Amino acid sequence: MSIQKLQFNNRTILTPSRDSFVAFTESVPPTPPVPSLPSDMDFVYLANDFDGSKIPNKATGTNAFGPYLQQGTITKNGNGSSCYLSNDHSTSNYLYIDLTSAQLNTMKPSSGAYSFFIRVQSTSSGLGAIFSWRLNNDSSYIYMIRANNGKLQLHSTTGYDSSFDLDESQVYKVVVESSTLTAYKLSTGSTFAISHGSYNMSTKMSTFNAYPYSGEGVLDRMYGLAGIARATTTEEDTQIKEYLMSQGV
């Protein structure tokens, strides 16, 4: 008895030429690879990497920052790509890093740009830090990136604006240049921007708490944050977005 081997819709079909027997196996698509990252990232902090005291930095380049440290109590919820950190809306509970002057200066570009990438969620009323540089002194900041009543807020000493609902299914990019802050919703290309002036900022960068004003700890969920000391290409934006969405797993 002869056997015929047929391919149909990614399936292998074996059928004898003179009877009705049919056997098939369905092919399994390969697991997609974990997205890569640009080699010169300053930091990539993912909720799934939180070890109870800090988030190790996924960036490994020459100028990579140290870990993001816990102050107070930070709660890890779930695991994998859907893992997130929360702070119970308390200004006593936040993440921070003490930057060197050189590291801070990269975030104050007199020429060029600094690019931040953000995957967070917030629907609650109130203010909370996504990135803040005023923990040491409330007058020592030029710009902050905050949650404001569930929206992304760009804030500087010359003004502020809020747009884009903070949704965990989205990654946002904020580009700091010599006189402007511009936010991008990467899935749509939508933008909004504000101007800023001087570069007076604290070396302590924080997330969750935009201390010292009371009540500025309202960021519901942090999934992933990243930064790089330059402008990025569309291809790199896609790489970083996919990495934050997958949390590297």
Side-chain angles (χ1 to χ4, degrees), residues 30-85:
T31 301
V34 174
S36 59
L37 287 167
S39 60
D40 56 341
M41 300 293 297
D42 283 341
F43 63 89
V44 181
Y45 297 128
L46 303 175
N48 195 51
D49 292 336
F50 181 66
D51 65 8
S53 64
K54 65 185 182 301
I55 305 177
N57 190 358
K58 269 287 199 292
T60 57
T62 304
N63 298 317
F65 293 3
Y68 222 11
L69 304 174
Q70 172 186 244
Q71 175 65 43
T73 300
I74 297 295
T75 303
K76 184 175 182 179
N77 305 270
N79 55 69
S81 62
S82 61
C83 180
Y84 67 89
L85 304 181

Side-chain angles (χ1 to χ4, degrees), residues 186-242:
L186 294 181
S187 64
T188 64
S190 302
T191 68
F192 72 98
I194 65 169
S195 63
H196 68 78
S198 64
Y199 287 109
N200 192 25
M201 298 155 65
S202 165
T203 54
K204 189 180 291 289
M205 183 176 81
S206 64
T207 296
F208 285 114
N209 181 16
Y211 179 85
Y213 296 118
S214 62
E216 294 195 12
V218 184
L219 175 66
D220 292 335
R221 300 180 179 185
M222 183 284 235
Y223 290 84
L225 303 169
I228 186 170
R230 59 174 175 81
T232 53
T233 66
T234 300
E235 180 180 359
E236 288 173 328
D237 290 348
T238 299
Q239 290 176 321
I240 297 167
K241 178 184 72 174
E242 290 180 353

